[in-house]
Amino acid sequence: MRAKGFLAVLNTVAILVLPALLAPHALAQNSAQIAILKWYGANQTTSVAVDGSLVGVAFDGSSIWVSDQVRTVTKVDPATGQVLGAFQVGQTPFGLAFDGANIWAANFGDNTVTKLRASDGMNLGTFNAGIGPQGVAFDGVNIWVTNLTSNSVTKIRASDGVVLGNFDVGNGPDGIAFDGANIWVANFRGNSVTKLAPNGQTLLTISNIPGASSLAFDGTSMWVTSTSSSKAYKIALDGTRMSSYPVSKGPMGIAFDGSNIWAVGHTSQTITKLRASDGALLGTFKVGVRPFGVAFDGANIWVACDGALQKL
């Protein structure tokens, strides 16, 4: 009798709920999201106060790291927003990267990169790069650093900081990313993207990307923000196809969340969400003042702004 009564209740609930789910408005939503009560495009923004004009963002598997353009990299607990520590690096840190155990910061102001142990922020060394280091990427073994002023990329062995080579790229290299086999570099002043083999050999140069800034790999294609045209370009790994999609004005940082691309509009103080598969616009969301870098922590998007690290 109890089982029959329980089934009757379920049937009653189904009768009441299904018509609502099948209504025209409901069909535009994803009913699989009922369990998490998440019917909107992005979570409400949560802000974590961090001093400085924040730029680089990286996730180490448990914590978010952000650089402040002075001499500090800050570690934040993504679950609580608690600041876990602030650690001194070189002068004017910009890009950040995680190598599986350590955080690397590109110090634009003194032509170095600093290696911090992610677990406790201990400084494990400062190593020479080129002139004006800006972006950082890890290829599984080595750290690659773009040198904005010397138009080169420095390859550094992650285990001990030994410089393995300096390789010429385009004019004003900025963002950098690894596609699982090769290194890609966004040449900001050269309006181009360079693809490098692991030995530093240039494999491709893709032109006509005005103000190429930051890069993100979605598993099949490389994405680059075009600051001058306010677009994000999607590039086939062999360079044979390229598409462009409008994004927030003055895009800088870009990140992939497993399904979508997020492009930070530095000028518009917004962030654009695109579906990676076809570039469809999924939303534009307000963020803080002068947003720059962006990272995905497996659940949320983090944006570096002036005086705040924001979570969407």
Coordinates of all heavy atoms in Angstrom, one line a residue, residues 209-278:
I209 N 45.6 39.2 -38.4 CA 44.9 39.2 -37.1 C 45.3 40.4 -36.3 O 46.3 40.4 -35.6 CB 45.3 37.9 -36.3 CG1 45.0 36.6 -37.1 CG2 44.5 37.8 -35.0 CD1 45.4 35.3 -36.5
P210 N 44.6 41.5 -36.5 CA 45.0 42.8 -35.9 C 45.1 42.8 -34.4 O 44.1 42.5 -33.7 CB 43.9 43.8 -36.4 CG 43.2 43.1 -37.5 CD 43.3 41.6 -37.2
G211 N 46.3 43.1 -33.9 CA 46.4 43.2 -32.4 C 46.3 41.8 -31.8 O 45.6 41.7 -30.7
A212 N 46.8 40.8 -32.4 CA 46.7 39.4 -31.8 C 47.3 39.4 -30.4 O 48.4 39.9 -30.1 CB 47.5 38.4 -32.6
S213 N 46.5 39.0 -29.4 CA 46.8 39.2 -28.0 C 47.0 37.9 -27.2 O 48.1 37.5 -26.8 CB 45.7 40.0 -27.3 OG 46.0 40.3 -26.0
S214 N 45.9 37.2 -27.0 CA 45.9 36.0 -26.1 C 45.4 34.7 -26.9 O 44.6 34.9 -27.8 CB 45.1 36.2 -24.9 OG 45.6 37.2 -24.1
L215 N 45.8 33.6 -26.4 CA 45.5 32.3 -27.1 C 44.9 31.3 -26.1 O 45.2 31.3 -24.9 CB 46.8 31.7 -27.6 CG 47.5 32.5 -28.8 CD1 49.0 32.1 -28.8 CD2 46.8 32.2 -30.1
A216 N 44.0 30.5 -26.7 CA 43.4 29.3 -25.9 C 43.2 28.2 -26.9 O 42.8 28.4 -28.0 CB 42.1 29.8 -25.3
F217 N 43.5 27.0 -26.4 CA 43.3 25.8 -27.2 C 42.1 25.0 -26.8 O 41.9 24.8 -25.5 CB 44.6 24.9 -27.1 CG 44.5 23.6 -27.8 CD1 44.2 23.6 -29.2 CD2 44.8 22.4 -27.2 CE1 44.2 22.4 -29.9 CE2 44.7 21.2 -27.9 CZ 44.4 21.2 -29.2
D218 N 41.2 24.7 -27.7 CA 39.9 24.0 -27.3 C 39.9 22.5 -27.5 O 38.9 21.9 -27.4 CB 38.8 24.7 -28.0 CG 38.7 24.3 -29.5 OD1 39.6 23.5 -30.0 OD2 37.8 24.8 -30.2
G219 N 41.1 22.0 -27.8 CA 41.2 20.5 -28.0 C 41.3 20.2 -29.5 O 41.8 19.1 -29.8
T220 N 40.8 21.0 -30.3 CA 40.8 20.8 -31.8 C 41.3 22.0 -32.6 O 41.9 21.8 -33.6 CB 39.5 20.4 -32.3 OG1 38.5 21.4 -32.1 CG2 39.0 19.0 -31.7
S221 N 41.1 23.2 -32.1 CA 41.4 24.4 -32.7 C 42.1 25.4 -31.8 O 41.9 25.3 -30.6 CB 40.2 25.1 -33.4 OG 39.5 24.2 -34.2
M222 N 42.8 26.3 -32.3 CA 43.5 27.4 -31.5 C 42.6 28.7 -31.7 O 42.2 29.0 -32.8 CB 44.9 27.6 -32.0 CG 45.7 28.6 -31.1 SD 45.9 28.0 -29.4 CE 46.9 26.5 -29.6
W223 N 42.4 29.4 -30.6 CA 41.7 30.6 -30.6 C 42.6 31.7 -30.2 O 43.5 31.6 -29.3 CB 40.5 30.6 -29.6 CG 39.4 29.7 -30.0 CD1 39.4 28.3 -29.9 CD2 38.1 30.0 -30.5 NE1 38.2 27.8 -30.3 CE2 37.4 28.8 -30.7 CE3 37.5 31.3 -30.8 CZ2 36.1 28.9 -31.2 CZ3 36.2 31.3 -31.3 CH2 35.5 30.1 -31.5
V224 N 42.4 32.9 -30.8 CA 43.2 34.1 -30.5 C 42.3 35.3 -30.5 O 41.5 35.5 -31.3 CB 44.4 34.3 -31.5 CG1 43.9 34.4 -32.9 CG2 45.3 35.5 -31.2
T225 N 42.5 36.2 -29.5 CA 41.8 37.4 -29.4 C 42.5 38.5 -30.3 O 43.7 38.6 -30.3 CB 41.7 38.0 -28.0 OG1 43.0 38.0 -27.4 CG2 40.7 37.2 -27.2
S226 N 41.7 39.2 -31.0 CA 42.2 40.4 -31.8 C 41.7 41.6 -31.2 O 40.6 42.1 -31.3 CB 41.6 40.3 -33.2 OG 41.8 41.4 -34.0
T227 N 42.6 42.3 -30.5 CA 42.3 43.5 -29.7 C 41.8 44.6 -30.6 O 40.9 45.3 -30.2 CB 43.5 43.9 -28.8 OG1 43.9 42.8 -28.0 CG2 43.2 45.1 -28.0
S228 N 42.5 44.8 -31.7 CA 42.2 45.9 -32.6 C 40.8 45.7 -33.3 O 40.1 46.7 -33.6 CB 43.3 46.1 -33.6 OG 44.5 46.3 -33.0
S229 N 40.4 44.5 -33.6 CA 39.2 44.3 -34.4 C 38.0 43.8 -33.5 O 36.9 43.7 -34.0 CB 39.4 43.3 -35.5 OG 39.6 42.0 -35.0
S230 N 38.3 43.6 -32.2 CA 37.3 43.1 -31.3 C 36.6 41.8 -31.8 O 35.4 41.7 -31.8 CB 36.2 44.2 -31.0 OG 36.8 45.3 -30.3
K231 N 37.5 40.9 -32.2 CA 37.1 39.6 -32.6 C 37.9 38.5 -32.0 O 39.0 38.7 -31.5 CB 37.2 39.5 -34.1 CG 36.2 40.4 -34.9 CD 36.4 40.2 -36.4 CE 35.5 41.2 -37.2 NZ 35.7 41.0 -38.7
A232 N 37.3 37.3 -32.0 CA 38.1 36.1 -31.6 C 38.2 35.3 -32.9 O 37.2 35.0 -33.6 CB 37.4 35.3 -30.5
Y233 N 39.4 34.9 -33.2 CA 39.7 34.0 -34.4 C 39.9 32.6 -34.0 O 40.6 32.3 -33.1 CB 40.9 34.5 -35.1 CG 40.7 35.8 -35.9 CD1 40.7 37.0 -35.2 CD2 40.6 35.8 -37.3 CE1 40.5 38.2 -35.9 CE2 40.4 37.0 -38.0 CZ 40.4 38.2 -37.3 OH 40.2 39.4 -38.0
K234 N 39.2 31.7 -34.7 CA 39.4 30.3 -34.5 C 40.2 29.7 -35.7 O 39.8 29.9 -36.8 CB 38.0 29.6 -34.5 CG 38.0 28.1 -34.2 CD 36.6 27.6 -34.3 CE 36.5 26.1 -34.0 NZ 35.1 25.5 -34.0
I235 N 41.3 29.1 -35.4 CA 42.3 28.6 -36.4 C 42.5 27.1 -36.3 O 42.7 26.5 -35.3 CB 43.6 29.3 -36.1 CG1 43.5 30.8 -36.1 CG2 44.6 28.9 -37.2 CD1 44.7 31.6 -35.6
A236 N 42.3 26.5 -37.5 CA 42.6 25.0 -37.6 C 44.1 24.8 -37.3 O 45.0 25.7 -37.7 CB 42.3 24.5 -39.0
L237 N 44.5 23.7 -36.7 CA 45.9 23.5 -36.3 C 46.8 23.4 -37.4 O 48.0 23.7 -37.3 CB 46.0 22.3 -35.4 CG 45.3 22.3 -34.1 CD1 45.6 21.1 -33.3 CD2 45.6 23.6 -33.3
D238 N 46.3 23.1 -38.6 CA 47.2 23.1 -39.8 C 47.2 24.4 -40.5 O 47.9 24.5 -41.6 CB 46.8 21.9 -40.8 CG 45.4 22.0 -41.3 OD1 44.7 23.1 -41.0 OD2 44.9 21.1 -42.0
G239 N 46.5 25.4 -40.0 CA 46.5 26.7 -40.6 C 45.6 26.8 -41.8 O 45.6 27.9 -42.5
T240 N 44.9 25.8 -42.2 CA 44.1 25.9 -43.5 C 42.8 26.6 -43.4 O 42.2 27.0 -44.4 CB 43.9 24.5 -44.0 OG1 43.2 23.7 -43.1 CG2 45.2 23.8 -44.4
R241 N 42.3 26.7 -42.2 CA 41.0 27.4 -42.0 C 41.0 28.4 -40.8 O 41.6 28.1 -39.8 CB 39.8 26.3 -41.7 CG 39.7 25.3 -42.8 CD 38.5 24.3 -42.5 NE 38.7 23.7 -41.1 CZ 39.5 22.7 -40.9 NH1 40.3 22.2 -41.8 NH2 39.6 22.2 -39.7
M242 N 40.3 29.5 -41.0 CA 40.3 30.5 -39.9 C 38.9 31.2 -40.0 O 38.5 31.6 -41.1 CB 41.4 31.5 -40.0 CG 41.4 32.5 -38.9 SD 43.0 33.5 -38.9 CE 42.8 34.5 -40.4
S243 N 38.2 31.3 -38.9 CA 37.0 32.0 -38.8 C 37.1 33.0 -37.7 O 37.9 32.9 -36.8 CB 35.8 31.0 -38.4 OG 35.8 29.9 -39.4
S244 N 36.3 34.1 -37.8 CA 36.3 35.1 -36.8 C 34.9 35.4 -36.3 O 33.9 35.2 -37.0 CB 36.9 36.4 -37.3 OG 36.1 37.0 -38.4
Y245 N 34.8 35.8 -35.0 CA 33.5 36.0 -34.3 C 33.6 37.3 -33.5 O 34.6 37.5 -32.7 CB 33.2 34.8 -33.4 CG 33.2 33.5 -34.2 CD1 34.4 32.7 -34.1 CD2 32.1 33.1 -34.9 CE1 34.4 31.5 -34.8 CE2 32.2 31.9 -35.6 CZ 33.3 31.1 -35.6 OH 33.4 29.9 -36.3
P246 N 32.6 38.1 -33.5 CA 32.6 39.4 -32.7 C 32.6 39.0 -31.2 O 31.9 38.1 -30.8 CB 31.4 40.1 -33.1 CG 31.0 39.5 -34.4 CD 31.4 38.1 -34.4
V247 N 33.4 39.8 -30.4 CA 33.4 39.6 -29.0 C 33.4 41.0 -28.3 O 33.3 42.0 -29.0 CB 34.6 38.8 -28.5 CG1 34.5 37.3 -29.0 CG2 35.9 39.4 -29.0
S248 N 33.5 41.0 -27.0 CA 33.5 42.3 -26.3 C 34.6 43.2 -26.8 O 35.7 42.7 -27.2 CB 33.6 42.0 -24.8 OG 32.5 41.3 -24.3
K249 N 34.4 44.5 -26.7 CA 35.4 45.5 -27.2 C 36.7 45.4 -26.5 O 36.8 45.3 -25.3 CB 34.8 46.9 -27.1 CG 35.6 47.9 -27.8 CD 34.9 49.3 -27.7 CE 35.7 50.3 -28.4 NZ 35.1 51.7 -28.4
G250 N 37.8 45.4 -27.3 CA 39.1 45.4 -26.8 C 39.5 44.1 -26.1 O 40.0 44.1 -25.0
P251 N 39.3 42.9 -26.8 CA 39.5 41.6 -26.1 C 41.0 41.4 -25.8 O 41.8 41.7 -26.6 CB 39.0 40.6 -27.1 CG 39.1 41.3 -28.4 CD 38.8 42.7 -28.2
M252 N 41.2 40.9 -24.6 CA 42.6 40.6 -24.1 C 42.7 39.1 -23.8 O 42.9 38.3 -24.7 CB 43.0 41.4 -22.9 CG 43.0 42.9 -23.2 SD 44.1 43.5 -24.5 CE 45.7 43.3 -23.6
G253 N 42.4 38.7 -22.6 CA 42.5 37.3 -22.2 C 41.4 36.5 -22.8 O 40.3 36.9 -23.1
I254 N 41.7 35.2 -22.9 CA 40.8 34.2 -23.5 C 41.0 32.9 -22.8 O 42.1 32.5 -22.4 CB 41.0 34.1 -25.0 CG1 39.8 33.3 -25.7 CG2 42.3 33.5 -25.4 CD1 39.8 33.4 -27.2
A255 N 39.9 32.1 -22.6 CA 40.0 30.8 -21.9 C 38.9 29.9 -22.5 O 37.9 30.3 -23.0 CB 39.8 31.0 -20.4
F256 N 39.2 28.6 -22.3 CA 38.3 27.5 -22.8 C 37.8 26.8 -21.5 O 38.6 26.4 -20.6 CB 39.0 26.5 -23.7 CG 38.2 25.4 -24.1 CD1 37.0 25.5 -24.8 CD2 38.7 24.1 -23.9 CE1 36.3 24.4 -25.3 CE2 38.0 23.0 -24.4 CZ 36.8 23.2 -25.0
D257 N 36.5 26.5 -21.4 CA 36.0 25.9 -20.2 C 35.6 24.4 -20.4 O 34.9 23.8 -19.6 CB 34.8 26.7 -19.7 CG 33.5 26.6 -20.6 OD1 33.5 25.8 -21.6 OD2 32.5 27.2 -20.3
G258 N 36.0 23.8 -21.5 CA 35.6 22.5 -21.8 C 34.5 22.4 -22.9 O 34.4 21.4 -23.6
S259 N 33.8 23.5 -23.0 CA 32.7 23.5 -24.1 C 32.7 24.9 -24.8 O 32.4 25.0 -26.0 CB 31.3 23.3 -23.5 OG 31.2 22.0 -22.9
N260 N 33.0 25.9 -24.0 CA 32.9 27.3 -24.5 C 34.2 28.1 -24.4 O 35.1 27.8 -23.6 CB 31.8 28.0 -23.7 CG 30.5 27.2 -23.7 OD1 29.9 26.9 -24.7 ND2 30.1 26.8 -22.5
I261 N 34.2 29.2 -25.2 CA 35.3 30.1 -25.2 C 34.9 31.4 -24.5 O 33.8 31.9 -24.8 CB 35.8 30.4 -26.6 CG1 36.5 29.2 -27.3 CG2 36.7 31.7 -26.7 CD1 37.9 28.9 -26.6
W262 N 35.7 31.9 -23.6 CA 35.4 33.2 -22.9 C 36.5 34.2 -23.3 O 37.7 34.0 -23.1 CB 35.4 33.0 -21.4 CG 34.4 32.0 -21.0 CD1 34.4 30.6 -21.1 CD2 33.1 32.3 -20.3 NE1 33.2 30.1 -20.5 CE2 32.5 31.1 -20.0 CE3 32.6 33.5 -19.9 CZ2 31.2 31.1 -19.4 CZ3 31.3 33.5 -19.2 CH2 30.7 32.3 -19.0
A263 N 36.0 35.4 -23.8 CA 37.0 36.4 -24.3 C 36.7 37.7 -23.5 O 35.6 38.2 -23.4 CB 36.8 36.7 -25.7
V264 N 37.7 38.2 -22.8 CA 37.6 39.3 -21.9 C 37.7 40.6 -22.7 O 38.7 40.9 -23.4 CB 38.7 39.3 -20.8 CG1 38.7 40.6 -20.0 CG2 38.6 38.1 -20.0
G265 N 36.7 41.5 -22.6 CA 36.7 42.8 -23.2 C 37.3 43.8 -22.3 O 36.6 44.4 -21.4
H266 N 38.6 44.1 -22.5 CA 39.3 45.1 -21.6 C 38.7 46.5 -21.7 O 38.5 47.1 -20.7 CB 40.8 45.2 -22.1 CG 41.6 46.0 -21.2 ND1 42.0 45.7 -19.9 CD2 42.2 47.2 -21.4 CE1 42.7 46.6 -19.4 NE2 42.9 47.6 -20.3
T267 N 38.3 46.9 -22.9 CA 37.7 48.2 -23.0 C 36.2 48.3 -22.6 O 35.8 49.3 -21.9 CB 37.8 48.7 -24.5 OG1 39.1 48.5 -24.9 CG2 37.3 50.1 -24.7
S268 N 35.5 47.3 -22.9 CA 34.0 47.3 -22.6 C 33.7 46.9 -21.1 O 32.6 47.0 -20.7 CB 33.3 46.4 -23.5 OG 33.7 45.1 -23.4
Q269 N 34.7 46.3 -20.4 CA 34.5 45.7 -19.1 C 33.4 44.7 -19.1 O 32.6 44.6 -18.2 CB 34.2 46.9 -18.1 CG 35.4 47.9 -18.0 CD 35.1 49.0 -17.1 OE1 34.4 48.9 -16.1 NE2 35.7 50.2 -17.4
T270 N 33.5 43.8 -20.1 CA 32.5 42.7 -20.2 C 33.3 41.5 -20.6 O 34.5 41.6 -21.0 CB 31.4 43.0 -21.2 OG1 32.0 43.2 -22.5 CG2 30.6 44.1 -20.8
I271 N 32.7 40.3 -20.6 CA 33.3 39.1 -21.1 C 32.2 38.4 -22.0 O 31.1 38.3 -21.6 CB 33.7 38.2 -19.9 CG1 34.5 37.0 -20.5 CG2 32.6 37.8 -19.0 CD1 35.3 36.2 -19.4
T272 N 32.7 37.9 -23.1 CA 31.8 37.2 -24.1 C 32.0 35.7 -24.0 O 33.1 35.2 -23.9 CB 32.2 37.7 -25.5 OG1 32.0 39.1 -25.6 CG2 31.3 37.0 -26.5
K273 N 30.9 35.0 -24.1 CA 30.9 33.6 -24.1 C 30.5 33.1 -25.5 O 29.4 33.4 -25.9 CB 29.9 33.0 -23.0 CG 29.8 31.5 -22.9 CD 28.8 31.2 -21.8 CE 28.6 29.7 -21.6 NZ 27.6 29.3 -20.6
L274 N 31.4 32.3 -26.1 CA 31.1 31.7 -27.4 C 31.1 30.2 -27.3 O 31.9 29.6 -26.6 CB 32.1 32.1 -28.4 CG 32.4 33.6 -28.7 CD1 33.6 33.7 -29.6 CD2 31.2 34.3 -29.2
R275 N 30.2 29.6 -28.1 CA 30.2 28.1 -28.2 C 31.4 27.7 -29.0 O 31.5 28.2 -30.2 CB 28.9 27.6 -28.7 CG 28.8 26.1 -28.6 CD 27.4 25.6 -28.9 NE 26.8 26.1 -30.1 CZ 25.6 26.5 -30.3 NH1 24.7 26.3 -29.4 NH2 25.2 26.9 -31.5
A276 N 32.3 26.9 -28.5 CA 33.5 26.6 -29.2 C 33.3 25.9 -30.5 O 34.1 26.0 -31.5 CB 34.5 25.8 -28.3
S277 N 32.3 25.0 -30.6 CA 32.1 24.2 -31.8 C 31.8 25.0 -33.0 O 32.2 24.7 -34.1 CB 31.0 23.2 -31.5 OG 29.7 23.9 -31.2
D278 N 31.0 26.1 -32.8 CA 30.6 26.9 -34.0 C 30.7 28.4 -33.8 O 30.3 29.2 -34.7 CB 29.2 26.5 -34.4 CG 28.2 26.8 -33.3 OD1 28.5 27.3 -32.2 OD2 27.0 26.4 -33.5

